Amino acid sequence: MQLYFHGDIADLQQGIDILAGELGFRSGADGLSVHVKRHEGPELIVHKDQDGITISYTRKIHFFRAAGLLVEALQDGREMFTIRERPQFSMNGPMFDVSQGNSVMKTETVKRFIRMMAVMGLDMFMLYAEDSYDVKEQPYFGYMRGRYSQDEIRELDDYADMFGIEMIPCIQTLSHLKDVLKWNTFADIRDDEETMLVGEPKTYEFIEQMIKAAAAPVRTKRIHIGMDEAWKLGQGHYLAKNGYRSKFEIMNEHLYRVLEITRRLGLEPMMWSDMYFRAGSKTGAYYDKECVIPQSTIDAMPKDVQFVYWDYYHYDEEFYVDWIRRHKSFGSTPVFAGGIWNWRGFVLNYGATMKSTNAALNACKKEGITEIIATLWGDDGTECDWFSAILGLQLFAEHGYADELSEEKLRKRFAFCTGGQYDDFMDIRWVDEAPGIGKDNLETANPSRVMLWQQPMMGLFDANLNGREFDSYYAGLEKKFAAIKERSGEYRPIFDILQKLCAVLSVKAELGVNLTKAYLAGDKMKLNDYANVVLPDLIGKVRELQASHRDRWFEVNKAFGWEVLDFRYGGLILALETSAKRIADYVSGKVAKLEELEETRLLFQGVEGLLDCYWYQFIPTASRLAQP
């Protein structure tokens, strides 16, 4: 297919040339004529009749979505058509966490996302960076953590701008700075291990350095200054230095000081809103319906900052409507940040993603929210492949161009924009939405993660796993993903990792349960088989999983951060080797008993059936993995 775009394309040609290969057309004067015109109307329009083809658009990003819609219609063989879409939001795009989970995407990986976003029509992205960017005055900031250079960020901003995509810096200026404040060079600005000391002059010198470094390489004047989850604000060194003050007072004092900096630099800040709600809750909860924020506090809040309401946890529109209206009581319309549930282990929870996003974005449209963010967090290792999330991005995009979401159109657009298949990506959820987990896994349980990392002979989750026949379940999923990966093209590594994970779980899911049963039954023949056949074979499966996961990491991410997963895989492999040795010693009579298998298994945290643990440090052992 050859297309000749002409008209209002002066700032579009570079993007057209880049996307031509990916969308399956050649750009040239001999091609099918496409007249491009910029207009003031709210709609983007793609029209084809006997007189030719016209694309009408307002913003650059709308042209690239329209170009994709045109190519898709032509590939479908449509002769005459008019496609009209009305953008629902003035800002819509992802935030990628490149700090908390230790994975910093390569610039080429970010560019791949940018190209997909352009065809989807997503117009903004953030790289959430606690310390993943270079601050020239602070050599320990982001040290050995894969931080982006100023040139790398500038390169990404230039690339995004070709498609009309805004790159907004997203940093932290209060808390969530554990990987910064651990260095002694920052000892005099610590309140606690992850929160800066409010009121200390050196704190604001440092914040200004961060803000300047984050804002310098990008075009936009907007910046996200963070300020969420400062759990112990004012309770550490601040308390010893200043005495007790309410979190309301401390937050407002600090925010005003930070905004003095952004005003002076001509920046337009936004911030997470949760600390104000937590301070007004007797339990410190963000979503406490009994929360009361005094009007005096609201009156004292600065008016030149946008508040970002983040929520991925609710599945009914009514809750989102309520919380949006509570945010509006601050005197402005909030930005909304939903979630693509990629942060609970290896598996993206598409059940919870679909339910929460549909409810939230429907509420946003009804309440006049014009700016939305799709968050992808990397919590605790970024075990989940970044590209597992692309169906979630398409979900946000399709909501962004329709009053009501059409699943049929979502499926079709996903295939066109990404080359992926809707059902294949939805099938990712089954690794965690296993037997015993409720429909759509709205509890966001992560059984695959706990089954993988827990110790084979000291299974903290064995009482929850007993009798569920997970071995056969994961053997079936292994076959499913083996078939999917063969048709997945560039996404083959996603499904290869999941296939190999399921191969491991087909043995390891109930390994501790089965070992304990054999031991308590005195079945030394079965135990001998575990020591000499099953466990050595399982070690081989773990090594295959580790190799696939490792290769994928280095393909899409910078090298820094993989070492954390190496520790996990290495610990698992050695634990399996130790288990085989311990069992062999027992079978041979070298040891009289296996203390690990004699301990009565308890329900994890006393909860029946719910296979859930958020942090790795609590999965392998009841002992401390590290200090403090």
Side-chain angles (χ1 to χ4, degrees), residues 457-504:
M457 293 177 65
M458 293 183 286
L460 298 180
F461 299 84
D462 282 352
N464 299 77
L465 297 169
N466 195 5
R468 296 184 180 274
E469 298 183 357
F470 281 132
D471 290 355
S472 59
Y473 176 77
Y474 285 108
L477 278 185
E478 178 191 358
K479 294 177 181 177
K480 174 186 280 287
F481 289 122
I484 290 176
K485 79 177 184 181
E486 294 304 321
R487 60 175 180 260
S488 293
E490 69 174 294
Y491 309 118
R492 178 187 175 100
I494 297 173
F495 297 101
D496 185 63
I497 292 170
L498 293 175
Q499 179 202 351
K500 289 178 168 59
L501 173 63
C502 290
V504 170

Side-chain angles (χ1 to χ4, degrees), residues 125 150 152-158 166-169 211-223 267:
F125 78 101
Q150 293 277 299
E152 286 176 314
I153 296 175
R154 189 172 293 107
E155 177 186 349
L156 291 174
D157 185 63
D158 288 343
E166 182 182 22
M167 182 179 181
I168 300 178
I211 291 174
K212 284 181 176 178
V218 296
R219 288 169 170 78
T220 186
K221 291 300 181 183
R222 304 185 77 182
I223 186 169
L267 301 175

Side-chain angles (χ1 to χ4, degrees), residues 38 55-56 91 99 151 172 209 212 233 247 264 270 295 378 434 457 541 557 588:
R38 194 186 294 263
I55 289 178
S56 303
M91 183 187 83
S99 280
D151 286 343
Q172 288 288 0
Q209 291 168 358
K212 284 181 176 178
L233 179 64
K247 288 184 178 179
R264 183 158 24 86
M270 66 181 80
Q295 186 60 46
M457 293 177 65
K541 292 179 186 295
N557 298 313
S588 69

Side-chain angles (χ1 to χ4, degrees), residues 600-613:
T600 300
R601 272 31 179 183
L602 303 178
L603 293 170
F604 185 74
Q605 299 291 15
V607 178
E608 179 75 44
L610 185 62
L611 305 165
D612 177 40
C613 185

Side-chain angles (χ1 to χ4, degrees), residues 317-338:
E317 288 185 30
E318 291 76 15
F319 186 92
Y320 290 102
V321 168
D322 181 14
W323 240 249
I324 288 169
R325 291 177 179 176
R326 292 185 188 221
H327 279 78
K328 286 180 178 178
S329 72
F330 293 173
S332 61
T333 301
V335 177
F336 175 76

